[in-house]
Structures are given as C-alpha cells and as structure tokens.
C-alpha cells in the first residue's frame, strides 16, 4: 500500500490540506484513496508513542490491524491502495519546531518510527518549507499564546532546512520526499493536494479553492472574479489552475501583513536569512529522491 504522510511545517496550511481531502473522502474512496479523519489518529499516535519512547516496533499483526482499521473503505468503494495522513506535530510540537540544533531536532528519530510503523509499504513524506524570517515569529506567537517562553534565536542560530531534509533522507532512504514553499502554496495549491492524495488530475475537489481564495477575502470583487473564472472554465490541469491563481492573486492591492524577524533582528539579518532560505530550497530540490513543487515558469 502507498502511505502518504504530510508532516507540516507548523504555521503553514494550518490543517487546510486535511480539511479539503477529508471533505472529499467519498470521491477519493472511489479512486481507492483512504483519508482518515482526525478522530482516527489516536490509534496511530499511541502506536507511534511506543517508538518515541524507545520501545520495540509493533509486530506485523498489530501493524496490519491498524492499517486495516484506518483504510477500511465505505460500502461499494474499492479496497484502498493509498492511505493519506496529515499531522503537523508528528515530528515535534510547535514549541519544539525550531532550535539551534535544527528544525524539528527529533525529525530523524521520529521519521524512523514512521518507517517502522509502515514497514513493507511504500512511504511518501510531504513537507511545506517556510522562510525562517516569517516562520519563527509565527512559532514565537504560538509559544507565547500557550504561556511558553519567547523564542530567542539569534540570526546566527537559525537552523538550516537542508539539514532537516537530509535528516529525513537518512531516516528513510527509500521513501519519496516532496517539498514546496509556503510562499508558493496558494498558486500551486491544486498540485499540492494531488501530490499528497494521488487523485486523478481532472478531478474537481469541493473546497479546493478556499485556501488560495482566502488571500482575496478583503477584496470582494477580485474574489468573485476568481470563483467565477474557475466555475466557468473548470480547468482540467494543474498547470492551468496554477496560472489562473497566479494571475488572479496578482490583483491583490497588498499582501496580508506578516511579522518578519525576531526581536533585535536587523533588516540586514532578514535579507541575509532570506537569501540563505532560497539557497536551502535550491539544494533540497537537487537532492536525490526529492520532488519539489514549484510555480509554473510562465
């Protein structure tokens, strides 16, 4: 069975991927794709917690029983051939996502647990990268909201996404890894959904436009134009959808305000770290066995 696991990062789609796929689970089931809802995750997480605690991997019988429960198709649907999960805290909670030791310092160990849980199956991991210049303030805000200590990384302590990707590759050398940038996500949203779930490209998912359309919420005319265009044209390819989204989102008079940098960071620090982020993304895209979802060139 194909096992697809979207792992984050925190402060990127905030559950939008799972929301759309679960909303369309009946249509996906007809294509032999199972998308368990959040209510099904405790069984998986309890089994994973044993691995996190250093206990032996569950036996084949227990693993098969878990897979059978999670992938059980509805009546009249074919047996599932692909099982899709989305859980941004599997590699670590938001308060632990960034540290001088790395992004998600436990990623390698926890990814190995994922490999143990789904031994013998084709595992695919999906991850959204985000510029640390805007990611770290978002993580800091979440820490403070939970009463935690502020995130106080200096510009020199900001970790590398390249090392994070390398950690996943070390943990699961046979797994397929797919990355994209949060900054590109509204334009390539349909490609992201299809990459994670594996459905037919011509399929139309209910609610698939909601995530990119949210950027136009403050501009009702542009939002109406976007929805009318998609309803009237019904594009059948991801390339056509991406080009249309890029064109309509270009009508934004201003982008939503986003905090940049942590306390005492300078404009020079922000520029330097943004350039390093771009280099990180380029290096990751060149890694063997990695797919990188990019916006259309033209």
């Amino acid at each position: 069975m194909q096992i697809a696991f979207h792992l984050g990062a925190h402060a990127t789609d905030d559950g939008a991927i799972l929301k759309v796929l679960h909303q369309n689970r009946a249509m996906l089931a007809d294509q032999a794709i199972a998308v368990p809802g959040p209510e099904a995750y405790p069984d998986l997480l309890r089994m994973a917690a044993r691995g996190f605690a250093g206990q032996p991997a569950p036996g084949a019988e227990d693993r098969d029983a878990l897979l059978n429960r999670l992938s059980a198709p509805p009546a009249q649907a074919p047996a599932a051939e692909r099982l899709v999960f989305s859980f941004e805290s599997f590699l670590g909670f938001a308060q632990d996502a960034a540290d001088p030791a790395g992004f998600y310092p436990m990623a390698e160990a926890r990814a190995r647990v994922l490999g143990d849980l789904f031994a013998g199956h084709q595992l695919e991991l999906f991850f959204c990268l985000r510029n640390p210049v805007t990611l770290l303030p978002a993580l800091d805000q979440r820490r403070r909201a939970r009463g935690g200590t502020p995130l106080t990384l200096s510009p020199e302590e900001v970790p590398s996404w390249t090392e994070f990707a390398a950690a996943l590759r070390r943990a699961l050398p046979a797994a397929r890894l797919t990355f994209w940038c949060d900054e590109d996500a509204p334009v390539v949203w349909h490609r992201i959904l299809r990459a994670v779930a594996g459905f037919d490209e011509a399929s139309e998912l209910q609610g698939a436009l909601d995530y990119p359309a949210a950027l136009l919420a403050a501009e009702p005319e542009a939002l109406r134009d976007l929805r009318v265009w998609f309803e009237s044209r019904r594009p059948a390819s991801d390339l056509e959808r991406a080009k249309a989204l890029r064109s309509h989102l270009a009508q934004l008079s201003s982008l939503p305000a986003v905090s940049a940098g942590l306390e005492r960071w300078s404009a020079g620090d922000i520029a330097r770290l943004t350039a390093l982020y771009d280099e990180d993304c380029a290096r990751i895209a060149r890694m063997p066995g990695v797919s990188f979802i990019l916006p259309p060139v033209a």
Side-chain angles (χ1 to χ4, degrees):
M1 180 180 288
Q2 298 172 354
I3 310 291
F5 217 122
H6 168 239
L7 293 163
H10 289 90
T12 53
D13 75 283
D14 289 329
I17 288 176
L18 182 60
K19 179 181 178 181
V20 174
L21 297 181
H22 195 247
Q23 182 180 346
N24 291 272
R25 63 192 180 279
M27 182 272 284
L28 295 172
D30 289 338
Q31 297 186 32
I33 302 164
V35 185
E39 70 282 353
Y41 282 40
D43 283 349
L44 170 65
L45 297 177
R46 276 193 291 271
M47 196 170 284
R50 292 165 51 183
F52 296 163
Q55 298 178 20
E61 185 175 341
D62 289 339
R63 297 198 308 268
D64 290 344
L66 175 65
L67 277 180
N68 289 336
R69 290 197 300 274
L70 294 173
S71 63
Q76 311 304 318
E81 298 174 1
R82 186 176 181 86
L83 184 57
V84 180
F85 300 99
S86 179
F87 186 59
E88 64 181 10
S89 291
F90 191 90
L91 300 179
F93 293 110
Q95 61 266 30
D96 306 316
D99 185 272
F103 285 116
Y104 298 94
M106 296 301 296
E108 186 169 351
R110 292 194 166 201
R112 285 200 179 95
V113 170
L114 201 57
D116 291 340
L117 286 177
F118 298 115
H121 297 276
Q122 181 182 331
L123 188 60
E124 302 176 26
L125 304 185
F126 298 85
F127 197 87
C128 179
L129 306 170
R130 182 172 173 179
N131 188 342
V133 162
T134 61
L135 173 62
L136 295 178
L139 295 176
D140 181 53
Q141 185 177 30
R142 293 187 179 199
R143 288 168 66 123
R144 293 171 187 260
R146 289 179 171 270
T149 57
L151 189 58
T152 56
L153 291 177
S154 71
E156 293 71 30
E157 292 175 318
V158 173
S160 161
W161 280 124
T162 301
E163 176 51 35
F164 167 80
L168 293 183
R169 173 51 71 221
R170 288 193 299 271
L172 299 167
R176 288 181 54 190
L177 307 181
T178 299
F179 294 90
W180 62 90
C181 294
D182 185 57
E183 297 79 12
D184 297 330
V187 170
V188 296
W189 186 241
H190 293 83
R191 287 185 60 197
I192 293 168
L193 294 173
R194 188 165 65 86
V196 173
F199 54 84
D200 181 77
E201 187 173 7
S203 300
E204 293 188 14
L205 271 61
Q206 294 182 6
L209 204 57
D210 292 350
Y211 181 78
L215 289 174
L216 297 171
E219 304 192 23
E221 288 189 16
L223 176 58
R224 178 185 57 79
D225 289 346
L226 174 68
R227 292 198 177 277
V228 167
W229 191 94
F230 270 83
E231 289 169 6
S232 61
R233 301 290 185 90
R234 296 195 176 276
S237 75
D238 291 337
L239 178 61
E240 190 178 2
R241 295 178 183 112
K243 287 183 175 181
L245 283 167
R246 183 170 60 186
S247 174
H248 283 83
L249 292 174
Q251 300 176 34
L252 278 168
S253 57
S254 62
L255 292 172
V258 178
S259 297
L262 295 175
E263 189 175 353
R264 293 188 295 278
W265 285 18
S266 69
D269 293 328
I270 290 171
R272 180 178 61 82
L273 289 169
T274 297
L276 290 174
Y277 170 62
D278 291 340
E279 293 172 9
D280 257 350
C281 293
R283 278 192 293 267
I284 292 169
R286 293 193 297 267
M287 286 182 173
V290 166
S291 297
F292 208 105
I293 299 176
L294 296 167
V297 176

